Amino acid sequence: YDVDLEQVTIEPMKKHAGEAPAVLLTDTTDEIVKTFNISEEKTSSTGLWFTLIPKTKESLYQEVRLYFINKRLEQMILIDSLGQKIAVQFITPNINPKLPKNTFQEKIPKDVDVIGKAI
């Protein structure tokens, strides 16, 4: 939903699913390996960085870095195609919470243009 343009675009999630940072947290290792070249760097006996480089040049990100301590994700760094860096730190994460089914239902405002069809 683009507030400034008063426009909603609806398209299948699969189109960009492999590029969404959340996919890295929910997808299988096999799917991630299909999308990224992965290298690892041990920083201590418990710390480990994984660097993920997309296999295609059309990706939204040129690099994604994941930092784990004791097998728990602590930090995610995303570098987009323009070289801009986004750092996300996970502080007291709630892993696999129970969410109500309507948590992520989008309500399209009246009087906006809708591009695409609801799936």
Side-chain angles (χ1 to χ4, degrees):
Y1 172 49
D2 188 317
V3 176
D4 294 332
L5 293 177
E6 296 180 347
Q7 176 178 302
V8 171
T9 304
I10 300 172
E11 61 186 6
M13 182 63 183
K14 286 227 178 245
K15 181 176 177 183
H16 298 289
E19 299 176 13
V23 169
L24 297 173
L25 307 178
T26 59
D27 221 344
T28 66
T29 303
D30 289 341
E31 289 302 314
I32 294 170
V33 168
K34 286 180 188 175
T35 308
F36 297 93
N37 293 312
I38 303 169
S39 62
E40 66 179 74
E41 173 189 340
K42 196 169 195 166
T43 59
S44 67
S45 62
T46 58
L48 188 62
W49 277 105
F50 287 92
T51 301
L52 291 76
I53 306 293
K55 292 183 177 181
T56 65
K57 294 184 189 268
E58 294 81 31
S59 177
L60 295 175
Y61 301 99
Q62 59 178 300
E63 181 178 318
V64 177
R65 299 192 76 213
L66 304 171
Y67 184 58
F68 290 83
I69 295 178
N70 292 325
K71 298 182 180 181
R72 189 177 118 209
L73 183 61
E74 295 284 327
Q75 190 172 10
M76 176 186 284
I77 297 174
L78 306 155
I79 302 173
D80 70 16
S81 58
L82 299 174
Q84 298 178 27
K85 182 163 80 170
I86 300 167
V88 179
Q89 189 157 0
F90 298 92
I91 301 169
T92 60
N94 186 355
I95 299 171
N96 296 324
K98 299 278 185 206
L99 300 173
K101 289 186 178 190
N102 65 350
T103 300
F104 298 104
Q105 287 184 344
E106 182 66 38
K107 292 181 176 66
I108 299 173
K110 292 181 180 183
D111 301 327
V112 299
D113 293 329
V114 178
I115 298 170
K117 292 183 181 179
I119 299 170

